[in-house]
Amino acid sequence: MNNAAIPVTLAPSVAATRFLVEEMFEALRQGSPGNPGITRAPYGEGEDFAHRLLADRATALGFEVSRDAALNTYVTLAGRDRSAPVLMTGSHLDSVPQGGNFDGAAGVVAGLAALVAIREVMPVPPQDLVVMAIRAEESVWFQVSYVGSRSAFGLLPAGALDGARRIDSGRSLGEHMAEWGADVAALRGGARHLDAAGIGGFVELHIEQAPSLVEAGLPLAIGTGIPGNFRYPDMVITGEQAHVGLPRRFRRDAALAGADFAAGLDRIWAEHEARGVPMAATIGRFHTDAALHGMTSVPGRFLMSLDVRAYDAGVLSALEEAVLSLVRDIENRRGVRFELGARASAPVGPVAPAVRTRLEAAAGVLGVPWQPLGSPASHDAATFAQAGVPMGMIFVRNENGSHNPAEAMDVADLMHGIGVLAGWMATPA
């Protein structure tokens, strides 16, 4: 079969999977209500339901289904040469609290549909084709990035199993994993289910998380990179609790120090934007201590979180030094003390040029309009890149952003994405 014609040959089979796609999304919605939206907490009932749903559907469709020590789920269409490097796709099935039904899940559903379509045209592909449904990608829950994918490669940060605690339960990551059947002892021992040498490439399909494609009027984008980040989830500013009438020169106001930090961080971002250097900075929590604050008290304690991300490792390192310099300056001026707390980070995820080229070619052959797009968010594909796997991404148009109940992906746009994904998986490198 002519490689260039493969995406077109697959197109009718891809279109025929639409009922499966819609049925899967409806089942996911009904099985993980968040009131509003959906909630699939990692290593909790909602996420586990989603993994069981995928495993049941894939088994009924005749695919191989397996799990690893961290309970990631793998769906495999067996290839002719089972020793050859596999081609993989997938995404995560957990969500933020009261999130939308498509963030993460769209990539898993798309992967299953792609396998069904490929098997119709190519019952035995040259090598194994694998869909990975990944656990615990949403770092809001345990404040650790990429728990499932890092566990699969033996890259889970030291101390995460005991030190990371879920925000709603207060229980450790290891406890939650063990509750649902994970082999925590194996993970403590550095068990590695995936080896980069055995993976020919990984492509993650995901809804867009800023309305770039909505703005452009395009259904798809081909990813150009995933930002790395550094995070301080539990920053504390300590000043001095005082009477509201205290003159300014005597104050050690922790809240104003927090305001200085926010304004300074925004200046850093604006300076980078003016130079055309892409980055993002977010203060997700920003508040005085509820146990101490009051209308007639100068705040002596202020709490916040910080997430800074960029597409270049050098830029990211320089940004962290700029943030630390800002902290030192505010401490000196305000007479306060910053406690940064535990630091977390994730590496920059570079897209492999060869994978990107093949995705672009598949979109071109199918006549699907697209644009290049750097991801504004973190994705498990970055773990694959860190491990040395050639990685790519497909983004699908999504109104209203993500991480909220109003995610509004059109299934017709997703079907275009499945066509491009299936074309990549079925085309030999």
Side-chain angles (χ1 to χ4, degrees):
M1 186 183 297
N2 184 339
N3 288 350
I6 287 176
V8 173
T9 304
L10 285 169
S13 298
V14 168
T17 66
R18 180 161 182 157
F19 176 80
L20 170 65
V21 167
E22 292 175 336
E23 186 270 338
M24 285 287 290
F25 283 130
E26 180 59 19
L28 285 166
R29 184 188 66 79
Q30 291 186 7
S32 48
N35 301 317
I38 59 95
T39 296
R40 294 191 277 267
Y43 298 106
E45 185 175 347
E47 183 193 56
D48 200 67
F49 160 78
H51 279 259
R52 285 186 282 109
L53 174 69
L54 173 68
D56 290 346
R57 294 291 191 277
T59 299
L61 288 165
F63 295 111
E64 297 178 6
V65 177
S66 61
R67 297 195 305 179
D68 63 19
L71 304 181
N72 297 302
T73 302
Y74 301 85
V75 177
T76 301
L77 171 58
R80 185 168 54 253
D81 181 358
R82 305 214 67 179
S83 65
V86 304
L87 293 182
M88 295 184 67
T89 187
S91 192
H92 60 97
L93 284 175
D94 61 321
S95 78
V96 298
Q98 297 180 331
N101 199 29
F102 304 121
D103 187 313
V108 177
V109 172
L112 181 62
L115 291 193
V116 171
I118 291 168
R119 188 174 59 182
E120 286 296 309
V121 174
M122 190 185 300
V124 183
Q127 71 272 81
D128 285 5
L129 305 179
V130 180
V131 178
M132 180 181 181
I134 303 171
R135 297 268 182 170
E137 188 268 356
E138 296 291 2
S139 57
V140 65
W141 293 96
F142 288 104
Q143 301 187 67
V144 175
S145 298
Y146 312 142
V147 168
S149 55
R150 281 178 161 178
S151 294
F153 281 102
L155 297 173
L156 195 63
L161 288 169
D162 299 314
R165 297 189 173 270
R166 213 172 78 177
I167 57 171
D168 57 342
S169 70
R171 296 166 58 216
S172 72
L173 171 60
E175 289 175 307
H176 274 280
M177 295 176 92
E179 179 181 5
W180 292 95
D183 189 344
V184 177
L187 295 172
R188 288 190 192 282
R192 184 177 65 176
H193 184 78
L194 295 179
D195 183 348
I199 305 172
F202 177 85
V203 169
E204 182 170 1
L205 180 147
H206 205 282
I207 59 172
E208 65 168 336
Q209 294 173 287
S212 301
L213 293 172
V214 174
E215 180 181 63
L218 296 172
L220 295 183
I222 306 300
T224 59
I226 297 172
N229 65 58
F230 63 86
R231 292 168 168 169
Y232 292 98
D234 297 300
M235 295 176 67
V236 178
I237 305 173
T238 302
E240 186 175 87
Q241 202 82 9
H243 188 276
V244 70
L246 194 69
R248 186 178 186 278
R249 67 183 182 277
F250 297 121
R251 294 192 181 205
R252 297 171 58 209
D253 189 321
L256 287 181
D260 286 350
F261 182 84
L265 186 67
D266 193 50
R267 284 195 300 273
I268 291 169
W269 191 354
E271 290 165 1
H272 281 71
E273 192 170 70
R275 301 200 310 269
V277 179
M279 61 156 291
T282 303
I283 301 174
R285 293 190 300 108
F286 192 74
H287 56 91
T288 50
D289 189 335
L292 300 172
H293 66 196
M295 187 178 71
T296 58
S297 293
V298 176
R301 183 174 163 86
F302 197 83
L303 303 97
M304 59 186 179
S305 65
L306 176 67
D307 177 300
V308 178
R309 52 190 58 194
Y311 295 90
D312 179 271
V315 170
L316 198 61
S317 178
L319 279 168
E320 187 159 17
E321 181 50 45
V323 166
L324 297 178
S325 178
L326 174 63
V327 164
R328 291 190 291 268
D329 175 64
I330 296 169
E331 287 180 327
N332 291 333
R333 286 190 294 104
R334 291 283 182 186
V336 299
R337 184 178 74 258
F338 278 71
E339 298 171 30
L340 299 179
R343 179 187 183 277
S345 65
V348 171
V351 164
V355 176
R356 178 179 171 182
T357 297
R358 287 170 61 194
L359 292 172
E360 292 174 355
V365 169
L366 289 170
V368 179
W370 60 277
Q371 69 174 36
L373 182 67
S375 173
S378 302
H379 300 283
D380 284 300
T383 300
F384 283 79
Q386 178 190 8
V389 176
M391 175 273 286
M393 289 205 70
I394 301 168
F395 294 102
V396 179
R397 176 167 48 192
N398 168 57
E399 293 194 54
N400 306 324
S402 67
H403 288 189
N404 69 70
E407 290 174 2
M409 179 196 71
D410 190 321
V411 172
D413 290 340
L414 178 63
M415 300 310 296
H416 287 309
I418 295 170
V420 173
L421 175 64
W424 173 78
M425 296 189 80
T427 305

